[in-house]
Amino acid sequence: MTDTGAHTNRTNSKKLAIVGIGCLFPKAASKQAYWANIREGVDCISDVPETHWRVADLYDPDPKAPDRTYGKRGGFLDTIDFNPMEFSIQPNILEAIDTSQLLGLVAAREALKDAGYDPASEFARERVSVLLGVTGALEMVIPLGARLGHPIWRQALRDCGLPEDVVDEAVERIAASYVPWQENSFPGLLGNVVAGRISKQFDLGGTNSVVDAACGSSLSAVHMAAMELECGHCDMVITGGIDTFNDIFMYTCFSKTPALSPSNLIRPFDSSSDGTMIGEGLGLVVLKRLEDAERDGDHIYALIRGIGTASDGKKGAIYEPSAHGQQKTLRNAYKLADVDPRTITLVEAHGTGTKVGDAAEVSALREVYGESDGTPWCALGSVKSQIGHTKAAAGSAGLIKAALALHHKVLPPTINVEKPQQVITEGNTPFYINTSARPWLPSSAHPRRAAVSAFGFGGSNFHCVLEEYGAAKSEDDFARCAQIIALSGTDNAALRQQLQQIPDADDERLRRFAARSRANFDATAPVRLVLVVEAGHNVAELLAKAAALLESGQVTSASPA
């Protein structure tokens, strides 16, 4: 990244480039592990670890049981090695600093390195901002606040008739169970210091701030980052969402709404879905204006075309999802991005797994996307099926998933869906639930495009439109294990002619032919043939079998699907 001098009157491109990713999610301590889990459909939900809270003490299957939760599973980060000295933190003050602030440093460092800006190297730090989605309360608030209940504990023990020396000992023992107040406690519990520590540690001179839009926080932060870049206030932004708050307090919040799944299984868009499950995670991306990223030779994962926002308005309860508010958001996004929603072929939905929430979201999407011609064209999914609802980080979890899907040209799966909800499948729906990883075949009419939604209590709605960067500039993830050759024509003779043009060796010529075939494939043609050439297989033998099949007459013309 170079410092170009005069920034005030700069003309900015609407497109933004995602040039770096740093993330920590359940069972994934890196971008590579996260994408591998997504692609393979790994279920990353687990039992609540005792490092968080004891199920035996606080679980009750009765949703109405006071001060108990009926949830006992969720998405949890694996233990991560953290050397405080690497981040200029004295080991003796670690207990006064919230986990979000500590792990935020790790994720930000990885995002910068991934973008090609190693924190140890020289770059225009004064022009780098940090804008994050973080919910209002951090986990450290709970134990510090609990210590202040000592007058109530003391009075209750006295009322039980205990002698004063026993009361004193009991109060001291209870207090010792919580982290003590100290000089670093106040900054250690503040949400805004999650961004502040990153800016301070890496000596970044741009804006540092956090935004709270509940479960829409991370896309709200990306929206603010986009405006910061478009206004020319900075040249690079670290943005996304961070949420490590998955203790009993948060479980109780979701239990008493009630929104948690009684079956402790999260199934977005499935007809049997009965609620959500909560997770923890950190998802950060590095954004630059597209022309700046191209000038600097940055690696670009995907482009952000625009972010739509809207509030629900007066209708409904403060926690009730509004299809009307979401429709406004979608329309704002596509207008700003100058994109027809019919060119979107992957929607990474908010998809929490609650019946009411999912139905409202799909209703809004169908209203904006319109009817299909009888063949659904857009995959609908939610990474929450794999990692749970990561709250303030939920939007960034979806954003990173969509960006990597575009980069690798893979339509990723959504798990735990056996029978999609009727609101998805009825009529001429444009949507289908993709339940296994598939090659994301290109369209001759437009680039691959995806959209990501995130919504929060209070009627905060966000929808981000993404687009692939240069169809030939990133490798098809399936190219490592197989080549997909897609042929189409008016009759068998046309297919025989195309078949004769296929290189009979698994080399660069075959890969180029396969890419051209997918780009030119006509799904409405009367005769269609798809060949899967797996790595290590005899290509000539496969082509001979396909030719024999055509000659045998077993392949016949059919009406377009």
Side-chain angles (χ1 to χ4, degrees), residues 301-316:
Y301 288 100
L303 305 179
I304 294 179
R305 289 286 302 252
I307 303 172
T309 68
S311 292
D312 288 345
K314 189 175 182 179
K315 296 180 180 179

Side-chain angles (χ1 to χ4, degrees), residues 299-343:
H299 174 76
I300 298 174
Y301 288 100
L303 305 179
I304 294 179
R305 289 286 302 252
I307 303 172
T309 68
S311 292
D312 288 345
K314 189 175 182 179
K315 296 180 180 179
I318 197 70
Y319 54 79
E320 182 181 344
S322 164
H324 174 69
Q326 292 175 23
Q327 286 174 33
K328 289 192 297 180
T329 305
L330 295 170
R331 291 194 172 99
N332 286 342
Y334 296 120
K335 181 178 179 180
L336 179 66
D338 193 23
V339 161
D340 184 339
R342 296 183 70 86
T343 66

Side-chain angles (χ1 to χ4, degrees), residues 382-400:
S382 173
V383 75
K384 293 179 181 66
S385 66
Q386 296 178 259
I387 64 173
H389 187 352
T390 53
K391 308 177 291 296
S396 58
L399 179 71
I400 293 171

Side-chain angles (χ1 to χ4, degrees), residues 130-136 191-192 195 208-225 227 239-242 392-393 462:
V130 181
L131 297 169
L132 304 177
V134 178
T135 51
N192 76 290
N208 90 69
S209 180
V210 302
V211 293
D212 182 1
C215 300
S217 293
S218 50
L219 285 196
S220 177
V222 174
H223 169 58
M224 302 294 283
M227 291 193 292
T239 189
I242 291 178
F462 302 89

Side-chain angles (χ1 to χ4, degrees), residues 235-259:
D235 294 328
M236 189 162 78
V237 187
I238 301 170
T239 189
I242 291 178
D243 196 309
T244 64
F245 199 175
N246 226 23
D247 75 349
I248 186 58
F249 181 85
M250 194 54 62
Y251 268 79
T252 306
C253 287
F254 275 79
S255 293
K256 301 311 177 187
T257 307

Side-chain angles (χ1 to χ4, degrees), residues 201-434:
Q201 171 63 29
F202 303 121
D203 194 23
L204 307 178
T207 304
N208 90 69
S209 180
V210 302
V211 293
D212 182 1
C215 300
S217 293
S218 50
L219 285 196
S220 177
V222 174
H223 169 58
M224 302 294 283
M227 291 193 292
E228 181 100 344
L229 286 165
E230 289 166 8
C231 290
H233 289 168
C234 69
D235 294 328
M236 189 162 78
V237 187
I238 301 170
T239 189
I242 291 178
D243 196 309
T244 64
F245 199 175
N246 226 23
D247 75 349
I248 186 58
F249 181 85
M250 194 54 62
Y251 268 79
T252 306
C253 287
F254 275 79
S255 293
K256 301 311 177 187
T257 307
L260 287 183
S261 161
S263 62
N264 280 272
L265 180 64
I266 182 167
R267 294 169 282 198
F269 307 119
D270 187 77
S271 57
S272 301
S273 63
D274 61 358
T276 196
M277 300 185 71
I278 55 177
E280 54 195 16
L282 302 90
L284 301 184
V285 296
V286 177
L287 300 183
K288 294 175 73 172
R289 290 179 287 269
L290 173 58
E291 68 268 29
D292 290 353
E294 289 179 327
R295 178 201 65 209
D296 296 338
D298 294 322
H299 174 76
I300 298 174
Y301 288 100
L303 305 179
I304 294 179
R305 289 286 302 252
I307 303 172
T309 68
S311 292
D312 288 345
K314 189 175 182 179
K315 296 180 180 179
I318 197 70
Y319 54 79
E320 182 181 344
S322 164
H324 174 69
Q326 292 175 23
Q327 286 174 33
K328 289 192 297 180
T329 305
L330 295 170
R331 291 194 172 99
N332 286 342
Y334 296 120
K335 181 178 179 180
L336 179 66
D338 193 23
V339 161
D340 184 339
R342 296 183 70 86
T343 66
I344 304 292
T345 45
L346 170 66
V347 170
E348 173 62 18
H350 190 54
T352 62
T354 63
K355 274 245 168 62
V356 173
D358 288 358
E361 184 172 7
V362 175
S363 296
L365 284 164
R366 292 198 61 170
E367 180 66 26
V368 173
Y369 276 57
E371 298 287 290
S372 74
D373 59 4
T375 303
W377 79 80
C378 185
L380 179 68
S382 173
V383 75
K384 293 179 181 66
S385 66
Q386 296 178 259
I387 64 173
H389 187 352
T390 53
K391 308 177 291 296
S396 58
L399 179 71
I400 293 171
K401 173 187 173 181
L404 291 174
L406 285 166
H407 179 66
H408 292 294
K409 304 184 185 70
V410 172
L411 288 171
T414 289
I415 67 172
N416 299 332
V417 179
E418 296 180 1
K419 181 182 177 182
Q421 293 176 9
Q422 187 176 351
V423 68
I424 299 169
T425 59
E426 62 187 354
N428 290 327
T429 178
F431 299 107
Y432 64 95
I433 305 297
N434 193 48

Side-chain angles (χ1 to χ4, degrees), residues 153-227:
W153 314 334
R154 189 176 296 278
Q155 188 58 51
L157 293 168
R158 286 171 176 163
D159 290 347
C160 289
L162 295 177
E164 199 64 24
D165 60 332
V166 175
V167 169
D168 289 342
E169 182 181 354
V171 168
E172 288 175 7
R173 287 190 179 191
I174 295 172
S177 300
Y178 300 108
V179 61
W181 282 89
Q182 56 175 279
E183 182 181 356
N184 291 280
S185 296
F186 195 5
L189 61 79
L190 294 175
N192 76 290
V193 179
V194 178
R197 282 193 188 277
I198 293 170
S199 291
K200 186 173 181 62
Q201 171 63 29
F202 303 121
D203 194 23
L204 307 178
T207 304
N208 90 69
S209 180
V210 302
V211 293
D212 182 1
C215 300
S217 293
S218 50
L219 285 196
S220 177
V222 174
H223 169 58
M224 302 294 283
M227 291 193 292

